[in-house]
Amino acid sequence: ASTQGATKGEDHPVSELTTNAATAHVMLAPSELSDLAELRRLESVIDDSLDSWLSLGRALLEIYRRGLYKHSHSDFTDYVRSRWPDIGKSYAWRLISAADVVDDLTSPIGDVPVLPAPRAEYQTRPLGALPKAQRREVWAAAVAEKGGGQPSGSRVAELAAKARKALGPERKLALQQKE
């Protein structure tokens, strides 16, 4: 058996790891196994944190929609600024808009398949300026272009801009007044 990863003359066990990508067997020393375990743990932390913007946005949206902030503040923006000084007014509203967009995109509607959720807040920004039905169309097109994967924020913005141009003048005016 190969002792790749063990230094010459060391007398310690070597462990075997099977990779998923190609059923090749790789021999790793205990210190390498420890590093690999730590890498996987840290990657898990990153994976779990990628959705933290969405959790924040959903919580802020719920507080806003239900008026829960009114127990201590008359204005939502003042509430956020007072309670979380590190979350600026603009960022709070971007998170709220992002949560609203993601919920629209991932909620099942009739026979329309559920779409994968955006993995980053910036992917949702251009969609927030569109009517709900168009948000889905633009996101679905962007995801389809990536073969079901995550599209770049710039590509979503390009497709959203095209969709917005296609809106009739009365719909554009209504959207501008809403903003």
Side-chain angles (χ1 to χ4, degrees), residues 16 26 35 63 65 83 91 96 108 118 120 131 134-135 138 173:
E16 185 176 309
V26 178
D35 286 349
I63 291 168
R65 281 186 177 159
R83 181 67 175 83
Y91 184 55
I96 288 170
Q134 281 191 302
R135 291 175 182 179
V138 169
L173 180 61

Side-chain angles (χ1 to χ4, degrees), residues 78-102:
D78 290 340
Y79 163 75
V80 171
R81 204 175 329 196
S82 170
R83 181 67 175 83
W84 297 283
D86 293 340
I87 298 179
K89 174 179 124 178
S90 296
Y91 184 55
W93 287 109
R94 277 198 316 266
L95 290 172
I96 288 170
S97 176
D100 188 45
V101 167
V102 169

Side-chain angles (χ1 to χ4, degrees), residues 21-135:
T23 58
H25 295 284
V26 178
M27 303 303 281
L28 297 174
S31 64
E32 292 172 311
L33 278 176
S34 176
D35 286 349
L36 184 60
E38 181 65 0
L39 173 63
R40 295 226 169 101
R41 184 190 71 77
L42 293 170
E43 288 174 340
S44 177
V45 168
I46 293 168
D47 286 338
D48 292 345
S49 298
L50 287 174
D51 293 333
S52 66
W53 61 271
L54 184 54
S55 298
L56 285 169
R58 284 181 171 150
L60 289 167
L61 179 60
E62 185 73 11
I63 291 168
Y64 177 71
R65 281 186 177 159
R66 294 181 55 198
L68 299 175
Y69 62 91
K70 292 179 181 177
H71 294 285
S72 60
H73 293 76
S74 60
D75 180 72
F76 178 73
T77 303
D78 290 340
Y79 163 75
V80 171
R81 204 175 329 196
S82 170
R83 181 67 175 83
W84 297 283
D86 293 340
I87 298 179
K89 174 179 124 178
S90 296
Y91 184 55
W93 287 109
R94 277 198 316 266
L95 290 172
I96 288 170
S97 176
D100 188 45
V101 167
V102 169
D103 288 347
D104 286 344
L105 296 177
T106 58
S107 297
I109 297 177
D111 294 336
V112 178
V114 175
L115 298 168
R119 293 289 303 224
E121 177 267 330
Y122 64 82
Q123 292 171 303
T124 68
R125 288 181 205 164
L127 300 172
L130 295 172
K132 291 183 180 199
Q134 281 191 302
R135 291 175 182 179

